[in-house]
Amino acid sequence: MWETIAHDIVMPRPKSGTSLRARKASGLSVSLKSLAEHVGLSQAAVSLVINSSPGAKSIPHRTQELIRKAARELNYRPNHIARSLRQQRSYTIGVVVPEISEGYAALVMSGIEDHLLQEGYFYFVVSHRHRDELIQEYPLMLQQRAVEGLIAVDTAITSASQVPLVAVSGHRELPGVTNIVLDHALAATLAMEHLTKLGHRQIAFIKGQAFSSDTAIRWESVRNAAQALGVTINERIVGQLEGESSSPELGYVVTKKLLASGEPFTALFAFNDISAIGAIQALREGGRSIPQDVSVVGFDDIQSAAFQNPALTTVRQPLREMGMLAAETLLLRIAAPPGAEYPKEIVVQPELICRASTATAPSA
Amino acid sequence: MWETIAHDIVMPRPKSGTSLRARKASGLSVSLKSLAEHVGLSQAAVSLVINSSPGAKSIPHRTQELIRKAARELNYRPNHIARSLRQQRSYTIGVVVPEISEGYAALVMSGIEDHLLQEGYFYFVVSHRHRDELIQEYPLMLQQRAVEGLIAVDTAITSASQVPLVAVSGHRELPGVTNIVLDHALAATLAMEHLTKLGHRQIAFIKGQAFSSDTAIRWESVRNAAQALGVTINERIVGQLEGESSSPELGYVVTKKLLASGEPFTALFAFNDISAIGAIQALREGGRSIPQDVSVVGFDDIQSAAFQNPALTTVRQPLREMGMLAAETLLLRIAAPPGAEYPKEIVVQPELICRASTATAPSA
DNA sequence: AACAGCTACTAAATCGGTTTAGTATGCTAT
DNA sequence: ATAGCATACTAAACCGATTTAGTAGCTGTT
């Protein structure tokens, strides 16, 4: 007895050698093999022409045109995976960020993307959310996917990588790493000069989280700038962000503590714009007007800084430019012969953006 | 005569068959072939064991352990590209967004990422910045890179795709597309009810840009809700965002025009939070306090909405959830047999987030 | 003794391109 | 006549895995 078992009947998947008609009908894209059969030439010839390889110079124009025309008509697009495998080049890089939805990372990525796509590269992004095992694992997973290089944004990658690595605000002085760093000394000086010129002496600070790569250097720069300007730092009005998320909430909490200390201050320099926004909230709840009673300076100049009320005075990091620079440097390093020299550090300049959250200090 | 031409001496790149020692020394990762040679078994056996394939069940435990141990020690990681080519599966999808650095797209992507990485998928992101030729071209480039599916965020993809496509706030009713859409009727009702309960009758509106996929449906819903609540819409205080960027500036410009019309209004319902933020700026410059003189309602609930001053009342779109849902749906569609049924539309619910930018209408 | 059936593997095809080495053909120069 | 050379290609290896079909060796059964 024969039974028709409907759910066992499966459309046979045509192999790559099958006729064009079959491939197209089944939704498969046109392969080099079928294209070659269609024009009656070898795969080699077609490949050489499609890629305008040096080897194609002996192929006459008429034949080249024939091939190109057929490729166009059949909408042939070389399978990128097959090409990657053979050429041992993926035209892909990996980007590791703390959290993709954060304004900081988003701006850097926007810059990265700008340069990469232009050069025919694509990229994978992964957010590690400060989980150590992911920070370890993601670079390996990315390399398994044959990325040609890595960009780490605000992330201290510790596992050595087989591929070039560019860090944006990441670690310092690791072998094989190019660091894109801000001129922190200048950044601190810009902010501190601005505040002292406005007459502020009692300045509160919010330091970054301990895990953030910029925290230490930024704080050191602030201390140096303060000293140079003759400002003494009162440790009782120095707070530190705590927690792994990046929401204004963190700045809010720290600022509440600063207020609770009872210590007077007329200005506050926050670790970043996000925490400055939370700080302003807390200051207002504590009955201070911004900037009449307390001036607030942020850091980064994320997009929403300009549209706060009051608009935030901040030290601008050129984040998009840093992303572009990272991508550019990485591609150069990829193209360079192995063992070639590479830049260990590239310094970019901050800029003070004066808006409405700072004003002259209230007379004591 | 023999000459030593130093710069022509090139390290020979060992082939995959070469000894382990050679591969590791030259920085190449360990291949299946070299691993197999190392343990004295065939590539097939090693592959079966590594992947725990059904075919490995006839291989005794001792041998399996031997293989696994060697793999661990040599830090063998299968080349993902080779695997993709053979299996015809890339475990990669493509995500098309207007601009990666925008809060809206960033939140959706964050949700997408959450689900994808968990399932072993990676993704490429591309920002088209509303350029038509890129909206056409990127999906093709992504398919060339063998993505198994596409997610389009707030983007009307028109070229038919060979792979499953999920649109978040994208087009409607295209064959082959699953749309993740907000319940716009409910969204409009929530906002309008809130405003009318507060006593507002003269309400200004900011519509979205013509190219934005949500503009039409949202406006229709607002009109329906207004009618149901007995509110008449005064077309002279209905503005529309213009320009392709997404900065508060656009909302600022429109609101300036609304004010210039001279027509009175006590509330404003903006197309999104970004434009609401710009609108507040313009209203303030026009001498109105928020919310005493004018109440403002935004849309989306992007991260910075809560930290505006005043904190923004807004209709929350569950953006992260929409991203997760999109990823989940896409993976289900990828796993489904070709030709299988799939959801055409998935509706998600908005939520009114009452903050400080709305208050009772000033008595006339 | 012959055969089936199981165990423990392996050989070889395959994915879809790229690239190297080679070959057939026709032409020119000796 | 034939070596030499350019032209116009092609055959086949290769990238690094997965996967199918098959085989050698052993045990147990009739």
Side-chain angles (χ1 to χ4, degrees):
Chain A
M1 275 286 285
W2 287 90
E3 277 184 42
T4 325
I5 309 177
H7 63 269
D8 270 344
I9 294 176
V10 164
M11 287 281 285
R13 200 164 71 74
K15 308 205 219 165
S16 62
T18 337
S19 79
L20 252 176
R21 190 187 307 275
R23 280 185 83 81
K24 298 211 77 170
S26 68
L28 276 178
S29 51
V30 180
S31 70
L32 180 64
K33 187 164 181 179
S34 57
L35 175 58
E37 277 167 12
H38 182 254
V39 296
L41 289 166
S42 69
Q43 295 185 42
V46 177
S47 175
L48 293 174
V49 170
I50 296 283
N51 296 305
S52 312
S53 308
K57 68 178 174 325
S58 70
I59 295 175
H61 251 276
R62 278 187 47 74
T63 311
Q64 296 211 14
E65 270 318 304
L66 172 76
I67 290 170
R68 272 188 243 277
K69 182 157 165 286
R72 229 176 300 119
E73 281 169 2
L74 299 176
N75 197 24
Y76 169 69
R77 287 176 170 255
N79 177 321
H80 192 272
I81 292 200
R83 172 180 285 179
S84 289
L85 180 59
R86 175 62 232 244
Q87 294 189 335
Q88 299 290 84
R89 297 206 58 181
S90 62
Y91 293 96
T92 302
I93 71 154
V95 179
V96 182
V97 303
E99 166 61 54
I100 192 181
S101 62
E102 267 173 37
Y104 182 102
L107 274 176
V108 175
M109 285 181 41
S110 175
I112 291 174
E113 186 185 26
D114 252 19
H115 187 82
L116 276 190
L117 288 171
Q118 210 172 289
E119 303 287 320
Y121 274 75
F122 275 47
Y123 64 105
F124 293 123
V125 208
V126 289
S127 309
H128 56 68
R129 291 169 194 171
H130 302 289
R131 286 175 50 195
D132 262 336
E133 72 277 20
L134 294 180
I135 297 178
Q136 297 297 320
E137 187 61 18
Y138 279 151
L140 298 175
M141 290 173 68
L142 288 166
Q143 287 177 71
Q144 190 169 353
R145 280 183 176 245
V147 297
E148 295 179 23
L150 288 171
I151 296 179
V153 179
D154 202 15
T155 300
I157 288 185
T158 48
S159 54
S161 79
Q162 310 258 18
V163 296
L165 172 60
V166 174
V168 176
S169 295
H171 28 157
R172 344 209 76 227
E173 318 240 343
L174 236 72
V177 180
T178 297
N179 287 288
I180 311 265
V181 296
L182 190 71
D183 183 338
H184 288 282
L186 177 56
T189 303
L190 286 172
M192 293 300 287
E193 263 183 2
H194 175 64
L195 288 175
T196 52
K197 274 187 190 154
L198 290 170
H200 297 277
R201 296 290 140 186
Q202 295 167 306
I203 305 177
F205 298 91
I206 299 180
K207 296 196 276 186
Q209 292 100 323
F211 60 74
S212 175
S213 46
D214 276 357
T215 296
I217 176 82
R218 197 120 99 212
W219 182 236
E220 197 192 320
S221 308
V222 167
R223 293 209 314 200
N224 292 343
Q227 191 165 32
L229 292 162
V231 173
T232 45
I233 293 179
N234 177 352
E235 289 288 345
R236 276 181 302 195
I237 45 174
V238 173
Q240 178 152 29
L241 297 176
E242 271 167 50
E244 295 193 340
S245 78
S246 126
S247 97
E249 184 70 19
L250 306 187
Y252 176 90
V253 171
V254 182
T255 307
K256 283 281 181 185
K257 280 192 210 158
L258 294 177
L259 288 168
S261 77
E263 211 71 12
F265 57 92
T266 66
L268 180 131
F269 185 15
F271 181 69
N272 54 27
D273 292 341
I274 304 273
S275 59
I277 290 167
I280 288 174
Q281 191 107 337
L283 290 169
R284 281 216 174 94
E285 290 180 11
R288 322 293 162 99
S289 343
I290 319 299
Q292 293 77 11
D293 299 327
V294 179
S295 287
V296 175
V297 178
F299 207 104
D300 287 350
D301 195 26
I302 59 174
Q303 286 188 313
S304 61
F307 290 89
Q308 287 304 121
N309 179 257
L312 203 59
T313 293
T314 191
V315 179
R316 174 169 198 271
Q317 291 201 60
L319 296 175
R320 286 193 92 250
E321 290 81 353
M322 288 162 80
M324 289 178 62
L325 205 50
E328 195 181 326
T329 307
L330 186 61
L331 295 196
L332 285 176
R333 285 193 56 187
I334 287 169
E341 285 294 309
Y342 63 89
K344 305 286 180 287
E345 189 166 275
I346 297 175
V347 179
V348 298
Q349 303 301 316
E351 191 184 344
L352 183 73
I353 308 290
C354 280
R355 298 206 185 93
S357 67
T358 48
T360 50
S363 39
Chain B
M1 273 287 283
W2 287 90
E3 278 185 40
T4 325
I5 308 175
H7 63 268
D8 269 345
I9 294 177
V10 164
M11 286 280 285
R13 198 163 71 74
K15 307 205 219 165
S16 61
T18 337
S19 79
L20 252 175
R21 190 187 304 275
R23 279 184 85 80
K24 298 212 76 170
S26 67
L28 277 178
S29 50
V30 180
S31 70
L32 179 64
K33 187 165 180 178
S34 57
L35 174 58
E37 278 166 13
H38 182 254
V39 296
L41 289 166
S42 69
Q43 295 184 42
V46 177
S47 175
L48 293 174
V49 170
I50 296 283
N51 296 304
S52 312
S53 309
K57 69 179 173 326
S58 70
I59 295 175
H61 250 277
R62 279 186 48 74
T63 312
Q64 297 211 13
E65 271 318 303
L66 173 77
I67 290 170
R68 274 189 241 277
K69 182 157 166 285
R72 230 175 300 120
E73 281 169 2
L74 300 174
N75 197 24
Y76 168 70
R77 287 177 171 252
N79 178 321
H80 191 272
I81 292 200
R83 171 180 286 179
S84 290
L85 179 59
R86 176 62 233 246
Q87 295 189 332
Q88 297 291 87
R89 298 206 56 180
S90 62
Y91 293 95
T92 303
I93 71 154
V95 179
V96 182
V97 302
E99 166 62 53
I100 191 180
S101 62
E102 268 174 36
Y104 182 101
L107 274 177
V108 175
M109 285 180 41
S110 175
I112 292 174
E113 186 186 25
D114 252 18
H115 187 81
L116 276 189
L117 288 172
Q118 209 173 289
E119 302 287 320
Y121 273 75
F122 275 46
Y123 64 104
F124 293 122
V125 208
V126 290
S127 309
H128 56 70
R129 292 169 192 169
H130 301 289
R131 286 176 50 195
D132 262 337
E133 72 277 19
L134 294 180
I135 296 179
Q136 298 296 320
E137 186 62 17
Y138 278 152
L140 298 175
M141 290 173 68
L142 287 166
Q143 287 178 71
Q144 190 169 353
R145 280 182 175 245
V147 297
E148 296 178 23
L150 288 172
I151 295 179
V153 178
D154 203 14
T155 300
I157 289 185
T158 48
S159 54
S161 79
Q162 310 259 19
V163 296
L165 172 59
V166 173
V168 176
S169 294
H171 28 155
R172 342 210 77 225
E173 317 241 344
L174 235 72
V177 179
T178 298
N179 286 288
I180 312 264
V181 296
L182 191 71
D183 182 339
H184 287 283
L186 176 57
T189 303
L190 286 173
M192 293 299 288
E193 263 183 1
H194 176 64
L195 288 175
T196 52
K197 273 187 190 154
L198 291 170
H200 297 276
R201 298 290 141 186
Q202 296 168 306
I203 305 177
F205 298 91
I206 298 180
K207 296 196 275 185
Q209 293 100 324
F211 60 73
S212 174
S213 46
D214 276 357
T215 296
I217 175 82
R218 197 121 99 212
W219 181 235
E220 198 193 319
S221 308
V222 166
R223 294 210 312 200
N224 293 342
Q227 191 165 31
L229 292 162
V231 173
T232 45
I233 293 180
N234 177 353
E235 289 289 344
R236 276 180 303 194
I237 45 174
V238 173
Q240 179 152 29
L241 297 176
E242 272 168 50
E244 295 193 339
S245 78
S246 126
S247 97
E249 183 72 18
L250 307 187
Y252 176 90
V253 170
V254 182
T255 308
K256 283 282 180 185
K257 279 193 211 157
L258 294 176
L259 288 168
S261 77
E263 211 71 14
F265 57 92
T266 65
L268 180 136
F269 185 15
F271 179 69
N272 54 26
D273 292 340
I274 305 272
S275 59
I277 291 167
I280 288 175
Q281 191 107 338
L283 289 169
R284 281 217 173 94
E285 289 180 12
R288 323 291 162 101
S289 340
I290 319 297
Q292 292 77 12
D293 298 328
V294 180
S295 287
V296 175
V297 178
F299 208 104
D300 287 350
D301 193 26
I302 60 173
Q303 287 189 314
S304 60
F307 290 90
Q308 288 304 120
N309 181 261
L312 202 59
T313 293
T314 190
V315 179
R316 175 169 198 270
Q317 291 201 59
L319 296 175
R320 285 193 92 249
E321 290 80 352
M322 289 162 80
M324 289 177 60
L325 205 51
E328 196 181 325
T329 308
L330 186 62
L331 295 196
L332 286 175
R333 286 192 57 188
I334 288 170
E341 286 293 310
Y342 62 88
K344 305 286 179 286
E345 188 166 276
I346 297 175
V347 179
V348 299
Q349 303 302 317
E351 190 183 345
L352 182 73
I353 308 289
C354 279
R355 297 204 186 95
S357 67
T358 47
T360 50
S363 38

